[in-house]
Amino acid sequence: MFLFQTMFRVPTFFAALSEVLSAALEAVGVNPSIVTRRRDTYLYLETAETVIYHEYGLDNTAYHFGSMSEGTTTLGMNSDTDTLISQNFFNIMYTSEDWERGKLNYLMVRDRTTPAQHYMLQMFRPDLPLPVTHSNFPFCVTDEHGRVFLSNRIVIDAAALSFGCHHRRQGPSNSASEDFDFVYAFRCNVLPPEILSWFNRPRPVNWIPPDVMEAARRCPCFLVPDGHHASEKKDIEWRITPNLIERLLMFSLNIIQVQCLVMLKMIKKQELVKNIRHERCKITTFHFKTVLFFTLERTPPEMWTKPRLLECIVKCLETLKDFLSRGECPHYIVERIDLFDGKLCRECQVCLEEAISDMIQDDMHVVFHIESDDLGQRMIGLSDGGRYSPGENVNARICGKLVTDVFCQVQRVYLSKICFELCSGEEAEFETRLNSKINQLRLLAHETPADHRATFFIRFLVTNLVSIKATAVSSRYIEIGQSIPREVWTIYGESLHTDVTSGKLKLASMLYCQGELWRAASLLNEVEFEFDHSVQPVCGCGRVPPNTEMSEAFCEFMLENENPGMWTKKLAFCVRFLREEKFCAPPFLWYEMYRDIGDDVQYRIRSEREWMNWFEVDARPFLLYLQFLTFRGLGVRHRQLEAFSGLRFITLSPSECKELYHKETFANLIGHCYELEGNMLLALAVYRASRDAMPRNNAANHHIARLQRQ
């Protein structure tokens, strides 16, 4: 490697323009505070995920990689969330000396035909450190020498089965949506030579701090199910990846280096992709991350300052241009790898090289044309001596989105799965299973008191399960017509703090079903008072309302409060009743628990399989519906009509309606209100509109049939 010797003459205006660009990037969240917040949030999430895996008896570890967890993104870039799940119950050996009795042992094997960065996994016996000579396991392949290798289809097919008909695979990653990518991997016990050599590689500029280098030596690497695109043995090849080392390097960057990478991504996304001539070719974010690392080796540390930001961007583009000219992009850590291989043909490389030359010769005026996050317009406003007013605090909005994203994922991936597991056995043993799960989680929280990240999310799950316990026990007593014992009310005391609304709404619903209407009305009034504009609806059903707007008050609250313990004070989760809780819900809602007709179940997407046999509704519509029923029962007509008016207002308000997660259930509630008002024709029209919007898995089908019979 070498220090830059370039003919590029830095324009005199670059320093002032760099200051403007840096200020514009800071305004859209690329600043030390928000970058740290992003990283901390995703570390919270991966810790919680790992703890839950262990609670289920799975020796898995979750890691978040990529732009979201590194803080190298903005709202306008719409980055997805990348999660690597390390399946540690496989013992991956570099030599047979790493063999462990009773484990699934696999030896990393290469031969002269194996592509660089790839290995095959030879199966060893669990009782003796000897190779397996034959196997009936369907995911094993025996070669001409009698060696038994594990096929990477074991992971690929399992992921396809888990994600169902919506499964998408790209390289080693799997997903069912554009927002989340999952990679299932095996952890290696030792670093192989092609990674170890990186630690001793000479560097013109040693930009990596010694403590980061020392931590990198202790990082494991992973094998992912991704054979080489041109290999005849790609079904039994596993690619080695040093993700954790790369993440350490990213976390060590200063804010100017982070801003540089973000700008490179924006230029790539908006300008450079136009020069990709073939559909099979692409230039990726990882190419630019690699370019940044190599540029850091080629430039003095004092260069990475705010007044020289544009100059740093040019240096990175020159590094990329150099790689394109040579037709080879080396991997920063793994030796003998060309990142252009299989990604970018020679024709596209030449086109990209010319486009980069044009940008540099044009003195990087391209930055004024960046549309993502209105960055170009922000720069024009700032460079004219004015102040660009975006109309909102973008940094606050990022904090709000981080919180809602985290709780959507925790609810969807963990709480829903726990509920699904609880409902899968005999109904008579439901409470036994529920108590056992609560005790397991409490013990887990007690065993990890020092890990505040894990403890917070475990307690969050416990509170939600206690809420289910209170309602399920109450449901049993209401079903047999008995009053609810005093000890159950004690359980409710712990269950009311899941969030702002859902715990209290479930209690109010139980009070209504028990006939204690005045107590229900009082609690509903309390929820209505707390449900102000600073409260954000959140759901873990997997349905994401388009263009969900968050109030400025909510986002500002999340910006000011980094403690996760405060986050739930401004969240309103959708209200959920399991079938075991149904006697605490108004009888009309029981139809939602049996919404399938004919073969409807086959048309449920993966995220719907778990909750569609329950009743689930957005918090505000349920609040208004309960008020309608309660004040109707009390004979307080004006409050009853006020609640009904609130429900109908949601249908007329685009901002309210588009935030709903369960639009068909909301419509069915309005239809029932029309029924109770005696307007059967309007009720039928509403049910039909609900059915037309969602023909399958919709309780409106039952209501239409019921009214037509009447």
Side-chain angles (χ1 to χ4, degrees):
M1 290 299 169
F2 52 89
L3 288 172
F4 266 113
Q5 300 292 330
T6 178
M7 297 298 293
F8 177 72
R9 182 183 61 82
V10 179
T12 56
F13 63 83
F14 256 35
L17 190 56
S18 292
E19 296 274 2
V20 170
L21 175 57
S22 182
L25 287 167
E26 287 184 1
V28 298
V30 193
N31 58 67
S33 175
I34 297 299
V35 168
T36 301
R37 184 73 170 267
R38 284 187 184 278
R39 293 173 180 175
D40 287 348
T41 300
Y42 279 93
L43 288 175
Y44 263 105
L45 193 55
E46 73 177 33
T47 302
E49 291 167 353
T50 299
V51 167
I52 297 302
Y53 278 129
H54 291 175
E55 193 274 333
Y56 272 101
L58 299 174
D59 190 8
N60 292 347
T61 306
Y63 299 97
H64 284 288
F65 298 114
S67 303
M68 295 291 278
S69 59
E70 294 167 357
T72 57
T73 188
T74 63
L75 288 175
M77 294 172 73
N78 295 319
S79 301
D80 57 6
T81 300
D82 298 317
T83 305
L84 184 144
I85 300 170
S86 173
Q87 300 174 306
N88 306 323
F89 46 87
F90 286 81
N91 180 39
I92 306 300
M93 309 178 292
Y94 190 72
T95 68
S96 57
E97 295 176 358
D98 299 324
W99 179 87
E100 293 184 31
R101 181 177 296 277
K103 283 253 190 173
L104 297 171
N105 295 280
Y106 292 92
L107 179 67
M108 297 168 62
V109 174
R110 304 184 80 253
D111 57 33
R112 59 182 181 82
T113 64
T114 308
Q117 202 182 357
H118 288 79
Y119 283 86
M120 297 177 290
L121 293 178
Q122 184 180 4
M123 183 183 291
F124 269 57
R125 292 171 55 172
D127 56 338
L128 291 170
L130 298 172
V132 170
T133 55
H134 66 276
S135 175
N136 295 324
F137 187 55
F139 293 103
C140 284
V141 176
T142 304
D143 72 354
E144 63 274 15
H145 304 294
R147 298 178 299 179
V148 179
F149 294 107
L150 182 67
S151 170
N152 55 39
R153 301 299 310 182
I154 187 174
V155 175
I156 297 169
D157 291 358
L161 181 65
S162 175
F163 286 97
C165 61
H166 294 271
H167 176 244
R168 300 187 308 162
R169 181 170 177 259
Q170 185 172 357
S173 69
N174 306 272
S175 68
S177 73
E178 296 180 356
D179 299 319
F180 299 95
D181 282 335
F182 295 89
V183 175
Y184 300 93
F186 299 151
R187 173 178 174 150
C188 301
N189 281 330
V190 297
L191 296 177
E194 59 264 48
I195 292 179
L196 279 174
S197 63
W198 173 76
F199 291 94
N200 301 315
R201 178 166 62 78
R203 298 174 179 84
V205 174
N206 194 10
W207 65 278
I208 306 172
D211 60 325
V212 173
M213 206 68 171
E214 186 58 35
R217 291 181 182 274
R218 298 191 298 271
C219 284
C221 59
F222 303 97
L223 287 170
V224 298
D226 188 29
H228 191 275
H229 68 97
S231 173
E232 295 180 356
K233 299 179 180 179
K234 59 184 176 184
D235 282 349
I236 59 171
E237 290 172 352
W238 301 74
R239 177 163 59 84
I240 197 158
T241 174
N243 300 68
L244 278 176
I245 297 176
E246 291 162 2
R247 189 171 79 171
L248 273 179
L249 298 181
M250 290 302 302
F251 282 9
S252 72
L253 299 180
N254 67 34
I255 192 58
I256 299 303
Q257 292 157 351
V258 171
Q259 289 181 347
C260 179
L261 181 56
V262 170
M263 276 306 304
L264 291 171
K265 290 181 181 181
M266 288 182 173
I267 292 170
K268 183 264 299 186
K269 186 174 182 179
Q270 180 172 312
E271 300 296 332
L272 293 184
V273 292
K274 299 175 184 177
N275 297 275
I276 303 295
R277 303 294 176 85
H278 301 290
E279 187 176 341
R280 67 179 183 276
C281 293
K282 61 181 177 179
I283 185 164
T284 67
T285 294
F286 191 71
H287 287 125
F288 283 90
K289 189 185 297 185
T290 302
V291 162
L292 175 64
F293 290 158
F294 277 113
T295 306
L296 287 167
E297 282 195 2
R298 299 177 173 191
T299 53
E302 59 270 17
M303 179 176 169
W304 296 89
T305 58
K306 188 179 294 186
R308 302 183 72 175
L309 174 57
L310 265 177
E311 189 180 348
C312 293
I313 295 170
V314 171
K315 296 295 186 187
C316 289
L317 289 174
E318 286 183 329
T319 301
L320 177 57
K321 185 182 168 187
D322 176 40
F323 292 156
L324 291 166
S325 176
R326 288 190 285 158
E328 179 185 10
C329 179
H331 194 292
Y332 186 68
I333 296 174
V334 186
E335 62 181 9
R336 296 185 297 113
I337 300 298
D338 176 15
L339 296 178
F340 288 158
D341 184 24
K343 299 287 186 182
L344 212 55
C345 69
R346 187 59 193 152
E347 180 185 352
C348 290
Q349 292 173 22
V350 172
C351 292
L352 286 170
E353 183 183 357
E354 292 173 355
I356 291 170
S357 296
D358 291 342
M359 283 183 196
I360 296 173
Q361 290 174 11
D362 194 34
D363 291 337
M364 296 302 296
H365 279 88
V366 66
V367 297
F368 284 109
H369 303 291
I370 297 297
E371 297 174 359
S372 178
D373 301 275
D374 291 328
L375 194 74
Q377 291 300 313
R378 290 175 187 273
M379 290 185 63
I380 291 171
L382 291 169
S383 61
D384 287 342
R387 295 180 61 86
Y388 179 82
S389 299
E392 64 175 344
N393 186 337
V394 176
N395 292 325
R397 182 169 173 76
I398 291 170
C399 292
K401 190 172 188 306
L402 281 171
V403 170
T404 55
D405 285 351
V406 163
F407 278 97
C408 278
Q409 187 161 347
V410 168
Q411 281 201 315
R412 178 171 68 253
V413 178
Y414 302 106
L415 186 58
S416 290
K417 287 189 181 302
I418 291 174
C419 291
F420 186 72
E421 176 191 2
L422 292 172
C423 297
S424 297
E426 292 292 330
E427 187 174 350
E429 299 175 0
F430 175 80
E431 287 180 35
T432 302
R433 294 193 299 274
L434 179 58
N435 287 328
S436 175
K437 183 62 65 177
I438 291 172
N439 291 334
Q440 287 176 24
L441 288 171
R442 282 176 170 160
L443 179 62
L444 200 58
H446 181 72
E447 292 173 348
T448 57
D451 193 337
H452 62 284
R453 296 190 184 106
T455 303
F456 167 75
F457 282 106
I458 294 170
R459 288 174 177 167
F460 171 77
L461 293 174
V462 168
T463 304
N464 278 272
L465 294 181
V466 169
S467 176
I468 293 172
K469 177 180 178 180
T471 319
V473 174
S474 300
S475 177
R476 178 160 47 83
Y477 281 101
I478 292 174
E479 181 183 12
I480 60 178
Q482 293 186 5
S483 59
I484 296 173
R486 180 174 298 177
E487 58 266 23
V488 179
W489 295 103
T490 305
I491 301 174
Y492 271 110
E494 185 181 351
S495 73
L496 298 181
H497 306 292
T498 54
D499 60 317
V500 176
T501 58
S502 63
K504 293 178 181 178
L505 286 176
K506 290 181 75 171
L507 174 56
S509 181
M510 183 276 290
L511 291 170
Y512 168 80
C513 294
Q514 199 184 25
E516 299 189 40
L517 301 186
W518 281 115
R519 290 183 66 187
S522 176
L523 185 55
L524 290 170
N525 288 337
E526 179 184 330
V527 175
E528 182 181 23
F529 177 77
E530 294 178 346
F531 206 146
D532 58 27
H533 292 296
S534 66
V535 174
Q536 177 66 28
V538 172
C539 189
C541 64
R543 296 175 174 178
V544 181
N547 304 317
T548 299
E549 294 181 0
M550 296 175 290
S551 71
E552 187 175 336
F554 168 77
C555 294
E556 290 289 348
F557 181 87
M558 294 306 163
L559 176 64
E560 295 167 4
N561 291 274
E562 298 184 18
N563 179 9
M566 300 293 292
W567 295 347
T568 54
K569 297 182 183 298
K570 294 296 179 182
L571 295 174
F573 301 134
C574 286
V575 184
R576 169 186 294 166
F577 285 91
L578 309 182
R579 289 184 179 179
E580 288 77 7
E581 305 172 86
K582 74 176 185 179
F583 288 97
C584 288
F588 175 81
L589 301 179
W590 298 357
Y591 285 98
E592 300 290 331
M593 302 179 184
Y594 305 91
R595 64 182 74 198
D596 54 291
I597 292 178
D599 60 350
D600 281 359
V601 174
Q602 299 178 24
Y603 292 87
R604 295 177 182 177
I605 63 174
R606 179 175 180 264
S607 60
E608 292 175 337
R609 295 177 202 159
E610 293 164 350
W611 63 263
M612 272 215 169
N613 290 329
W614 313 326
F615 163 62
E616 196 149 342
V617 64
D618 295 81
R620 188 177 292 278
F622 189 54
L623 165 64
L624 294 168
Y625 176 72
L626 281 181
Q627 285 181 322
F628 178 90
L629 296 180
T630 302
F631 289 117
R632 179 176 182 270
L634 291 170
V636 185
R637 181 63 175 168
H638 73 281
R639 290 300 308 275
Q640 176 192 351
L641 293 178
E642 192 177 281
F644 193 20
S645 177
L647 278 171
R648 287 179 294 181
F649 174 77
I650 294 176
T651 65
L652 301 174
S653 171
S655 61
E656 292 256 4
C657 198
K658 71 182 180 182
E659 287 191 6
L660 295 177
Y661 288 86
H662 303 278
K663 291 182 174 64
E664 78 283 4
T665 302
F666 162 67
N668 296 339
L669 297 183
I670 293 179
H672 187 225
C673 291
Y674 276 119
E675 277 194 70
L676 296 177
E677 288 290 292
N679 196 332
M680 299 302 174
L681 289 178
L682 261 180
L684 187 59
V686 171
Y687 293 142
R688 283 173 172 165
S690 174
R691 189 266 316 273
D692 292 343
M694 184 175 174
R696 294 184 178 274
N697 293 298
N698 188 345
N701 288 302
H702 293 295
H703 302 313
I704 292 169
R706 177 172 54 81
L707 286 187
Q708 287 176 337
R709 285 195 301 271
Q710 294 176 8

